Amino acid sequence: MTHGPRSGLSAVSAAILAMSRHLEVRDVLKTIVVSARELLDAQYAALGVPDDHGGFSQFVVDGVSDETWKAIGPLPRQHGILAAMLEDKNPQRLADVRKDPRFGGWPDAHPEMGDFLGMPVADGDENLAVLFLANKAYKHGGTGVGCGFTDEDEELLAVLAQHAAIALTNARLYERSRELTIADERARLAHELHDAVAQKLFSLRLTAQAATALVDRDPGRAKDQLHQVAHLAAEATDELRAAVVELRPAGLDEDGLVATLRTQVKVLDRAHAASVGFAAHGMRALPASQEEALLRVAQEALHNALRHSGAEHVEVTLARRGQGATLRVADDGSGFDPSAVRQAGRHLGLVSMRDRANGVGGRLKVVSEPGQGTAIEMEVPGG
């Protein structure tokens, strides 16, 4: 975004497009604040998202230096003009916020503010947040007499707040869907581990039965079988421990793409007869949407390799390429003819993988031949 005042339909359109371009809540909040301050040419802008305990769960500012923000201290409580705006959907335009009877003061490090424009960000009857700007007149050398914000400013901010509510609601729905996807994935991995442990326990039971039958007529062989029982029990214990450790709540936001994918590969390596390996080279953080797309494509490709190909070895590789990255999932399984799969109407998840790659500006390549294994390669541009 450029700095300095902007006006007119093009400026409003640019601000709305900037908000709708993001899917993460924190990115949407920051874009709303920056867009509002730039659009109305104010010195300061802030947006607070209320919590259920009389404070704010998130409070984003623009125009205040990092040093000043740290010196101000804890997030504000819902009091004074902020509380009034959360309870009332009407905008607040004041020549001097300090002279308002609801003004309750601010910390010593807080910048001085005079003229003020506040606007609730509402979704129906629910106030999602409160957006406010300060010091339009002061920014241009005002004396504190009269408000620098105009009727037109109030109208522009109202339009921006309406679209901010849509963008914020969409971002919250997106994050919720991601949480549900992570939960589904954890359930799927748990099922994989359950199968592995069940196989171990079944083998343990059969071996114990064999040892029981051999105790009287062949004690030596019975002893060998009991040693095998102990070995299988230890393996089953290790699998259960892996389930506890590796299926902890986690996701891309907390662990990053490399750690998340490495953990899932370890789980699959334990749960399947095939050897599943992972390597990462020079990776850097990528936009959240691209990291999620890479993870989902890797999961789909792994599922195909482990469930359908009969592979003995599967290798997952992440590598940096310029500002972006490449993903490769290769197996030594039965392979297939990609063109024949398309003609038969069977996709093996290829359509969804291509859609995910295209959705983030990436490319997907499938290399496979009958009897020659399969390699799924995806490249994303970074950001």
Side-chain angles (χ1 to χ4, degrees):
M1 233 176 230
T2 59
H3 294 284
R6 301 172 64 182
S7 61
L9 182 60
S10 62
V12 178
S13 177
I16 291 171
L17 288 173
M19 287 188 296
S20 63
R21 203 171 287 131
H22 297 286
L23 292 174
E24 304 288 340
V25 169
R26 63 179 181 272
D27 294 335
V28 170
L29 295 177
K30 184 62 178 177
T31 305
I32 292 170
V33 172
V34 172
S35 299
R37 187 169 83 93
E38 181 180 274
L39 189 63
L40 272 65
D41 195 23
Q43 187 174 7
Y44 303 113
L47 184 145
V49 178
D51 60 20
D52 297 325
H53 311 289
F56 288 90
S57 60
Q58 293 170 291
F59 202 87
V60 182
V61 299
D62 190 49
V64 178
S65 69
D66 291 340
E67 293 77 12
T68 299
W69 181 240
K70 290 178 182 177
I72 290 173
L75 296 183
R77 306 293 296 172
Q78 296 174 24
H79 62 85
I81 190 69
L82 296 182
M85 291 175 59
L86 287 169
E87 296 169 1
D88 187 350
K89 290 187 174 60
N90 295 314
Q92 302 285 330
R93 182 153 50 109
L94 308 170
D96 192 335
V97 67
R98 295 164 295 186
K99 296 179 180 179
D100 189 275
R102 297 165 293 183
F103 178 67
W106 45 49
D108 293 339
H110 197 284
E112 286 295 318
M113 295 182 179
D115 52 328
F116 174 95
L117 177 60
M119 186 72 62
V121 178
D123 179 18
D125 294 330
E126 179 187 4
N127 274 352
L128 304 177
V130 55
L131 175 63
F132 62 87
L133 298 93
N135 288 20
K136 180 168 185 174
Y138 280 65
K139 183 178 178 182
H140 297 284
T143 61
V145 177
C147 184
F149 296 104
T150 65
D151 290 342
E152 181 184 12
D153 289 333
E154 189 174 314
E155 292 175 3
L156 284 176
L157 193 60
V159 171
L160 195 68
Q162 291 171 5
H163 287 275
I166 296 171
L168 184 55
T169 299
N170 287 341
R172 286 177 170 176
L173 290 173
Y174 170 76
E175 290 196 349
R176 178 56 180 159
S177 73
R178 285 189 62 185
E179 291 172 4
L180 293 174
T181 299
I182 291 170
D184 289 344
E185 181 58 24
R186 290 180 64 223
R188 188 183 70 79
L189 291 174
H191 179 71
E192 300 273 5
L193 279 171
H194 173 270
D195 287 349
V197 174
Q199 290 171 11
K200 292 283 191 313
L201 293 176
F202 181 69
S203 297
L204 191 153
R205 186 177 68 177
L206 291 180
T207 306
Q209 289 172 346
T212 300
L214 290 169
V215 165
D216 293 330
R217 69 173 186 268
D218 195 340
R221 287 184 62 193
K223 184 177 180 180
D224 291 339
Q225 293 293 327
L226 289 173
H227 282 307
Q228 182 65 15
V229 167
H231 176 71
L232 289 170
E235 287 188 346
T237 300
D238 288 341
E239 297 295 350
L240 289 173
R241 185 176 294 114
V244 172
V245 173
E246 292 171 353
L247 291 180
R248 70 196 188 284
L252 291 176
D253 288 344
E254 293 81 9
D255 292 351
L257 175 61
V258 172
T260 300
L261 193 50
R262 178 182 287 117
T263 296
Q264 296 194 9
V265 166
K266 285 181 180 179
V267 173
L268 295 174
D269 185 49
R270 285 190 175 98
H272 291 272
S275 169
V276 189
F278 175 77
H281 308 289
M283 284 296 294
R284 54 176 290 174
L286 299 167
S289 59
Q290 294 184 26
E291 289 199 346
E292 182 171 6
L294 285 167
L295 178 62
R296 299 307 171 205
V297 168
Q299 290 169 338
E300 183 68 38
L302 282 165
H303 176 80
N304 288 341
L306 294 171
R307 292 294 188 183
H308 305 302
S309 75
E312 295 182 358
H313 302 279
V314 184
E315 290 295 327
V316 181
T317 306
L318 277 172
R320 180 174 177 178
R321 176 170 292 183
Q323 296 297 311
T326 58
L327 164 74
R328 177 180 170 86
V329 181
D331 68 68
D332 61 358
S334 57
F336 62 95
D337 181 351
S339 62
V341 168
R342 286 194 298 270
Q343 291 170 4
R346 296 171 59 246
H347 303 298
L348 298 178
L350 297 180
V351 172
S352 65
M353 286 191 279
R354 290 191 189 281
D355 287 345
R356 287 190 183 277
N358 294 336
V360 294
R363 295 183 301 146
L364 188 82
K365 181 181 179 182
V366 180
V367 180
S368 186
E369 292 182 22
Q372 299 297 314
T374 300
I376 303 292
E377 298 177 356
M378 177 176 169
E379 181 178 349
V380 295

